[in-house]
Amino acid sequence: MREILGRRRRLRFGRRKGNAHLDAALLCATGWQWPVLPGVGLKATGGRGERQRGCACPDPECVVPGAHPFDPGLLAATTDQRMIRWWWTNRPDAPVVLATGGRAPCAISLPALAGARALAVLDRGGLRPGPVVATPTRWSLLVAPYSLERLGELLYTKDCVPSSLRFHGDGGYVVLPPSETGTGAVRWERPPLAGAAPWLPDVETVLDALVEASTGAPDGGSRLRY
């Protein structure tokens, strides 16, 4: 009996130790001091192990399936290690959601094709982007925290700001790897460098390239999809 119980404890411990979502959440919260919380995730329907590309929230027409906070809400985002361990021990596959703004990174997201074009422009210009989060439909560039006032000043000088360009500042969020959303896996297109909190560019450094790339992108609509 003792041997069986010991084996069960080792198996439970092994699952927790190998939880990539928990590891990512802890790195953000305790290593980088970025507040995180679990996202709503996806529904499981049909046969055993089958997942539907639908959101687990009550909205049957959710436009960001699996890729947003629900319960807990965004204000619950924290860097507290105990809370994070409790969340992902109970929901090991929950998406990792970063609450943007404040002392945490902000972000600008755009259609995936436009994101690839923007990175190419930045690279050719010798401008260093920070970490870039990618899904099959949208890319998000993490930038240093900015105020709404500063962002408004920068956008005011632009002739046109495409509706497909989204800004994630105070009160916003971004889903981080290795989460799974309704449109597919979330991954690092440009991963953070190992070590201390990742370096982040100022928003004005990358904004022109993102606006230009989004203006000519085929997916220039206003519907936000992760």
Side-chain angles (χ1 to χ4, degrees):
M1 178 63 72
R2 290 181 180 176
E3 182 180 352
I4 293 174
L5 290 175
R7 188 182 305 120
R8 287 177 178 172
R9 290 192 189 101
R10 288 193 297 272
L11 287 172
R12 286 198 299 268
F13 178 77
R15 282 197 295 269
R16 291 176 184 173
K17 186 176 180 180
N19 186 342
H21 294 74
L22 173 59
D23 292 344
L26 287 173
L27 175 60
C28 290
T30 63
W32 302 338
Q33 293 301 297
W34 294 358
V36 295
L37 75 160
V40 64
L42 299 172
K43 293 178 182 178
T45 62
R48 184 179 180 182
E50 182 180 345
R51 276 189 174 178
Q52 175 183 316
R53 294 296 184 184
C55 192
C57 77
D59 183 0
E61 298 182 358
C62 180
V63 297
V64 286
H68 65 89
F70 177 66
D71 184 14
L74 186 62
L75 292 179
T78 184
T79 58
D80 182 76
Q81 181 178 160
R82 292 172 299 176
M83 190 73 252
I84 289 168
R85 288 188 180 277
W86 187 86
W87 278 332
W88 271 276
T89 296
N90 286 278
R91 295 181 56 211
D93 295 328
V96 179
V97 176
L98 165 68
T100 55
R103 296 185 178 180
C106 292
I108 306 176
S109 67
L110 65 170
L113 178 58
R117 291 176 176 175
L119 283 189
V121 170
L122 292 172
D123 289 342
R124 286 196 299 269
L127 299 174
R128 176 186 174 192
V132 179
V133 178
T135 76
T137 56
R138 291 187 72 84
W139 289 14
S140 299
L141 281 76
L142 302 187
V143 297
Y146 55 72
S147 67
L148 290 178
E149 292 77 14
R150 179 56 180 154
L151 179 63
E153 292 172 358
L154 292 170
L155 296 180
Y156 183 76
T157 64
K158 309 301 178 187
D159 294 332
C160 176
V161 178
S163 60
S164 60
L165 200 62
R166 300 291 177 170
F167 301 92
H168 309 256
D170 287 333
Y173 63 88
V174 172
V175 179
L176 299 179
S179 305
E180 183 81 15
T181 71
T183 58
V186 183
R187 61 179 178 81
W188 291 111
E189 173 65 25
R190 297 287 175 91
L193 298 178
W199 176 85
L200 301 168
D202 291 331
V203 62
E204 51 263 47
T205 303
V206 301
L207 185 58
D208 285 345
L210 301 185
V211 169
E212 181 180 351
S214 297
T215 300
D219 185 9
S222 61
R223 186 176 182 180
L224 173 61
R225 296 180 296 144
Y226 277 87

